[in-house]
Amino acid sequence: NAGVMQNPRHLVRRRGQEARLRCSPMKGHSHVYWYRQLPEEGLKFMVYLQKENIIDESGMPKERFSAEFPKEGPSILRIQQVVRGDSAAYFCASSPPEGYYGYTFGSGTRLTVV
Amino acid sequence: QQQVKQSPQSLIVQKGGIPIINCAYENTAFDYFPWYQQFPGKGPALLIAIRPDVSEKKEGRFTISFNKSAKQFSLHIMDSQPGDSATYFCAGGATNKLIFGTGTLLAVQP
Protein backbone atom coordinates (compact mmCIF):
# COMPACT_ATOMS: atom_id res chain seq x y z
CA ASN A 1 0.00 0.00 0.00
CA ALA A 2 2.10 2.87 -1.31
CA GLY A 3 1.96 6.19 0.47
CA VAL A 4 1.59 9.59 -1.15
CA MET A 5 3.92 9.67 -4.13
CA GLN A 6 5.45 12.91 -5.28
CA ASN A 7 7.74 13.42 -8.23
CA PRO A 8 10.19 14.60 -9.07
CA ARG A 9 11.99 14.67 -5.72
CA HIS A 10 14.24 17.46 -6.90
CA LEU A 11 13.59 19.94 -9.70
CA VAL A 12 15.89 22.66 -10.98
CA ARG A 13 14.46 25.35 -13.22
CA ARG A 14 15.89 28.54 -14.67
CA ARG A 15 14.05 31.78 -14.07
CA GLY A 16 11.16 32.10 -16.48
CA GLN A 17 10.67 28.38 -17.03
CA GLU A 18 7.67 26.33 -15.96
CA ALA A 19 7.67 23.84 -13.11
CA ARG A 20 5.25 20.91 -12.92
CA LEU A 21 4.99 18.99 -9.67
CA ARG A 22 3.02 15.76 -9.50
CA CYS A 23 1.28 14.07 -6.61
CA SER A 24 -0.44 10.67 -6.54
CA PRO A 25 -2.58 10.28 -3.41
CA MET A 26 -2.74 7.19 -1.26
CA LYS A 27 -5.09 4.48 -2.45
CA GLY A 28 -8.58 5.27 -1.25
CA HIS A 29 -7.84 8.94 -0.65
CA SER A 30 -9.90 11.35 -2.71
CA HIS A 31 -8.70 14.66 -1.25
CA VAL A 32 -5.39 16.32 -2.08
CA TYR A 33 -3.73 19.29 -0.43
CA TRP A 34 -0.62 21.23 -1.44
CA TYR A 35 1.65 23.00 1.03
CA ARG A 36 4.81 25.04 0.53
CA GLN A 37 7.71 25.09 2.98
CA LEU A 38 10.25 27.85 2.73
CA PRO A 39 13.64 27.38 4.42
CA GLU A 40 13.44 27.72 8.21
CA GLU A 41 9.64 28.09 8.07
CA GLY A 42 6.59 25.98 8.65
CA LEU A 43 4.30 24.65 5.99
CA LYS A 44 1.89 27.08 4.36
CA PHE A 45 -1.40 25.88 2.92
CA MET A 46 -1.79 26.51 -0.78
CA VAL A 47 -4.76 24.62 -2.19
CA TYR A 48 -7.25 21.83 -1.45
CA LEU A 49 -8.64 19.74 -4.28
CA GLN A 50 -11.01 16.86 -4.84
CA LYS A 51 -11.31 15.02 -8.13
CA GLU A 52 -11.97 17.62 -10.86
CA ASN A 53 -12.73 20.32 -8.28
CA ILE A 54 -10.77 23.03 -6.52
CA ILE A 55 -12.33 23.33 -3.08
CA ASP A 56 -10.13 25.98 -1.44
CA GLU A 57 -7.34 27.91 -3.15
CA SER A 58 -7.06 30.67 -0.58
CA GLY A 59 -3.32 30.08 -0.13
CA MET A 60 -2.38 30.12 -3.80
CA PRO A 61 -0.53 33.17 -5.16
CA LYS A 62 -2.84 35.02 -7.51
CA GLU A 63 -0.55 34.76 -10.49
CA ARG A 64 1.60 32.04 -12.07
CA PHE A 65 0.37 29.22 -9.81
CA SER A 66 -2.35 26.74 -10.69
CA ALA A 67 -3.40 23.29 -9.52
CA GLU A 68 -5.57 20.51 -10.84
CA PHE A 69 -6.68 17.04 -9.83
CA PRO A 70 -8.13 15.37 -12.93
CA LYS A 71 -10.49 12.43 -12.98
CA GLU A 72 -7.61 10.21 -14.04
CA GLY A 73 -3.99 10.67 -13.06
CA PRO A 74 -2.09 12.60 -10.43
CA SER A 75 -2.68 16.05 -9.05
CA ILE A 76 -0.48 18.67 -10.70
CA LEU A 77 0.85 21.89 -9.20
CA ARG A 78 2.02 24.16 -11.99
CA ILE A 79 4.21 27.21 -11.58
CA GLN A 80 4.66 29.35 -14.65
CA GLN A 81 7.57 31.74 -15.21
CA VAL A 82 9.35 30.71 -12.03
CA VAL A 83 11.30 33.25 -10.00
CA ARG A 84 13.97 32.71 -7.34
CA GLY A 85 11.42 33.29 -4.59
CA ASP A 86 9.58 30.13 -5.73
CA SER A 87 12.49 28.00 -4.49
CA ALA A 88 11.03 25.87 -1.72
CA ALA A 89 9.90 22.40 -0.78
CA TYR A 90 6.41 21.62 -2.01
CA PHE A 91 4.52 18.95 -0.12
CA CYS A 92 1.39 17.17 -1.12
CA ALA A 93 -0.91 15.48 1.38
CA SER A 94 -3.92 13.30 0.82
CA SER A 95 -6.79 12.27 3.02
CA PRO A 96 -9.88 10.11 2.90
CA PRO A 97 -13.26 11.80 2.54
CA GLU A 98 -13.41 12.41 6.32
CA GLY A 99 -10.87 15.17 5.79
CA TYR A 100 -7.67 16.28 7.43
CA TYR A 101 -7.95 13.88 10.35
CA GLY A 102 -6.31 11.33 8.12
CA TYR A 103 -3.70 13.53 6.42
CA THR A 104 -0.66 11.74 5.00
CA PHE A 105 2.17 13.75 3.48
CA GLY A 106 4.45 12.81 0.62
CA SER A 107 8.22 13.28 0.72
CA GLY A 108 8.00 16.53 -1.19
CA THR A 109 9.49 18.12 -4.29
CA ARG A 110 12.37 20.46 -3.70
CA LEU A 111 12.29 23.18 -6.33
CA THR A 112 15.39 25.24 -6.96
CA VAL A 113 15.20 28.20 -9.30
CA VAL A 114 18.56 29.32 -10.68
CA GLN B 1 -6.65 35.06 13.46
CA GLN B 2 -5.18 32.15 11.56
CA GLN B 3 -1.77 32.05 13.20
CA VAL B 4 -0.33 29.28 15.31
CA LYS B 5 2.62 30.48 17.39
CA GLN B 6 5.19 27.86 18.33
CA SER B 7 8.08 28.02 20.79
CA PRO B 8 10.92 27.50 21.31
CA GLN B 9 12.52 27.72 17.90
CA SER B 10 15.17 25.21 18.93
CA LEU B 11 15.77 22.96 21.89
CA ILE B 12 18.65 20.83 23.12
CA VAL B 13 18.14 18.15 25.77
CA GLN B 14 20.13 15.25 27.11
CA LYS B 15 19.05 11.69 26.47
CA GLY B 16 16.29 10.78 28.91
CA GLY B 17 15.18 14.41 29.32
CA ILE B 18 11.64 15.66 28.70
CA PRO B 19 11.54 18.31 25.98
CA ILE B 20 8.40 20.46 25.98
CA ILE B 21 7.22 22.37 22.91
CA ASN B 22 4.46 24.94 23.22
CA CYS B 23 1.91 26.30 20.79
CA ALA B 24 -0.75 28.99 21.01
CA TYR B 25 -3.57 29.63 18.60
CA GLU B 26 -6.15 32.33 17.96
CA ASN B 27 -8.76 30.74 15.76
CA THR B 28 -11.52 29.30 17.93
CA ALA B 29 -12.85 27.44 14.88
CA PHE B 30 -9.93 25.02 15.05
CA ASP B 31 -11.26 21.57 15.92
CA TYR B 32 -8.15 19.43 15.46
CA PHE B 33 -4.63 19.87 16.81
CA PRO B 34 -1.96 17.54 15.40
CA TRP B 35 1.77 17.37 15.94
CA TYR B 36 4.05 16.38 13.09
CA GLN B 37 7.63 15.15 13.13
CA GLN B 38 9.90 15.90 10.21
CA PHE B 39 13.37 14.52 9.49
CA PRO B 40 15.70 16.28 7.02
CA GLY B 41 14.71 15.61 3.43
CA LYS B 42 11.46 13.90 4.42
CA GLY B 43 7.83 14.87 4.56
CA PRO B 44 6.09 15.58 7.87
CA ALA B 45 4.73 12.50 9.62
CA LEU B 46 1.79 12.61 12.01
CA LEU B 47 2.93 11.94 15.56
CA ILE B 48 -0.13 12.51 17.73
CA ALA B 49 -3.28 14.62 17.57
CA ILE B 50 -5.98 15.88 19.91
CA ARG B 51 -9.50 17.28 19.68
CA PRO B 52 -10.48 20.32 21.80
CA ASP B 53 -12.87 18.33 24.01
CA VAL B 54 -9.94 16.46 25.58
CA SER B 55 -7.33 17.97 27.94
CA GLU B 56 -4.61 15.35 27.52
CA LYS B 57 -3.69 12.53 25.20
CA LYS B 58 -0.84 10.03 25.49
CA GLU B 59 0.59 7.76 22.82
CA GLY B 60 3.72 5.93 23.89
CA ARG B 61 6.32 8.48 24.97
CA PHE B 62 4.42 11.41 23.46
CA THR B 63 1.81 13.45 25.36
CA ILE B 64 -0.28 16.41 24.26
CA SER B 65 -1.60 18.74 26.93
CA PHE B 66 -4.45 21.00 25.79
CA ASN B 67 -5.81 24.11 27.53
CA LYS B 68 -8.88 25.29 25.65
CA SER B 69 -9.51 28.40 27.75
CA ALA B 70 -5.94 29.61 27.25
CA LYS B 71 -5.90 28.48 23.62
CA GLN B 72 -2.62 26.70 24.17
CA PHE B 73 -1.33 23.18 23.70
CA SER B 74 2.00 21.50 24.20
CA LEU B 75 3.94 18.37 23.30
CA HIS B 76 5.93 16.47 25.91
CA ILE B 77 8.39 13.75 24.91
CA MET B 78 9.16 11.39 27.77
CA ASP B 79 12.53 9.63 28.03
CA SER B 80 13.80 11.36 24.89
CA GLN B 81 16.23 9.49 22.66
CA PRO B 82 18.78 10.66 20.05
CA GLY B 83 16.45 9.20 17.40
CA ASP B 84 13.86 11.82 18.40
CA SER B 85 16.12 14.55 17.01
CA ALA B 86 13.98 16.18 14.34
CA THR B 87 11.85 19.22 13.65
CA TYR B 88 8.43 19.23 15.30
CA PHE B 89 5.45 21.18 14.01
CA CYS B 90 2.18 21.86 15.73
CA ALA B 91 -0.90 22.75 13.74
CA GLY B 92 -4.52 23.79 14.08
CA GLY B 93 -7.15 22.45 11.73
CA ALA B 94 -10.37 23.95 10.43
CA THR B 95 -12.35 23.51 7.21
CA ASN B 96 -10.08 20.84 5.80
CA LYS B 97 -6.81 22.73 6.04
CA LEU B 98 -4.06 22.85 8.61
CA ILE B 99 -2.34 26.00 9.84
CA PHE B 100 1.17 25.13 10.98
CA GLY B 101 3.49 26.63 13.54
CA THR B 102 6.99 27.59 12.48
CA GLY B 103 8.61 24.47 13.91
CA THR B 104 10.97 23.48 16.73
CA LEU B 105 14.31 21.91 15.96
CA LEU B 106 14.97 19.36 18.69
CA ALA B 107 18.39 17.86 19.33
CA VAL B 108 18.68 15.04 21.85
CA GLN B 109 22.28 14.56 22.91
CA PRO B 110 23.51 11.06 23.82
Side-chain angles (χ1 to χ4, degrees):
Chain A
N1 184 15
V4 177
M5 304 300 292
Q6 288 189 249
N7 63 80
R9 291 296 307 277
H10 300 276
L11 182 62
V12 179
R13 285 287 178 265
R14 296 187 183 279
R15 281 178 292 172
Q17 289 185 320
E18 178 180 287
R20 282 187 178 233
L21 289 63
R22 289 176 290 278
C23 170
S24 296
M26 281 184 68
K27 188 175 182 180
H29 285 190
S30 55
H31 298 200
V32 166
Y33 314 79
W34 286 92
Y35 285 77
R36 177 164 64 175
Q37 185 175 34
L38 294 168
E40 310 299 325
E41 291 188 16
L43 293 92
K44 304 289 187 188
F45 171 80
M46 299 182 75
V47 62
Y48 161 39
L49 309 105
Q50 297 177 18
K51 286 282 188 183
E52 301 184 281
N53 279 304
I54 297 175
I55 306 303
D56 181 347
E57 56 181 349
S58 58
M60 287 280 271
K62 295 284 185 264
E63 298 177 350
R64 304 187 297 108
F65 284 73
S66 62
E68 63 175 5
F69 188 16
K71 187 176 180 180
E72 301 290 337
S75 174
I76 306 287
L77 179 66
R78 182 183 179 204
I79 311 172
Q80 295 179 290
Q81 300 176 331
V82 296
V83 300
R84 287 229 171 104
D86 297 332
S87 295
Y90 292 83
F91 289 97
C92 167
S94 70
S95 76
E98 300 85 77
Y100 49 57
Y101 307 107
Y103 253 42
T104 300
F105 279 91
S107 295
T109 293
R110 279 139 187 94
L111 172 66
T112 302
V113 179
V114 297
Chain B
Q1 185 72 7
Q2 288 279 14
Q3 273 189 323
V4 176
K5 295 181 180 179
Q6 184 171 348
S7 63
Q9 191 173 3
S10 63
L11 188 54
I12 301 174
V13 299
Q14 296 295 316
K15 178 182 174 183
I18 306 175
I20 301 172
I21 305 171
N22 300 297
C23 286
Y25 65 98
E26 299 169 352
N27 190 344
T28 54
F30 286 160
D31 62 354
Y32 176 64
F33 299 89
W35 285 89
Y36 283 82
Q37 180 188 57
Q38 186 179 29
F39 293 104
K42 302 292 186 183
L46 179 64
L47 200 58
I48 186 172
I50 198 167
R51 303 283 184 103
D53 54 348
V54 176
S55 61
E56 184 177 277
K57 183 174 182 180
K58 291 184 181 180
E59 285 186 4
R61 296 184 295 108
F62 302 95
T63 299
I64 299 179
S65 298
F66 187 83
N67 185 331
K68 188 174 181 178
S69 60
K71 291 189 281 186
Q72 295 176 347
F73 59 110
S74 59
L75 176 71
H76 296 61
I77 305 176
M78 309 301 290
D79 187 28
S80 59
Q81 302 295 313
D84 296 329
S85 297
T87 300
Y88 292 81
F89 293 97
C90 62
T95 58
N96 277 303
K97 64 188 179 191
L98 294 178
I99 307 300
F100 283 85
T102 50
T104 296
L105 179 61
L106 172 66
V108 181
Q109 295 182 335

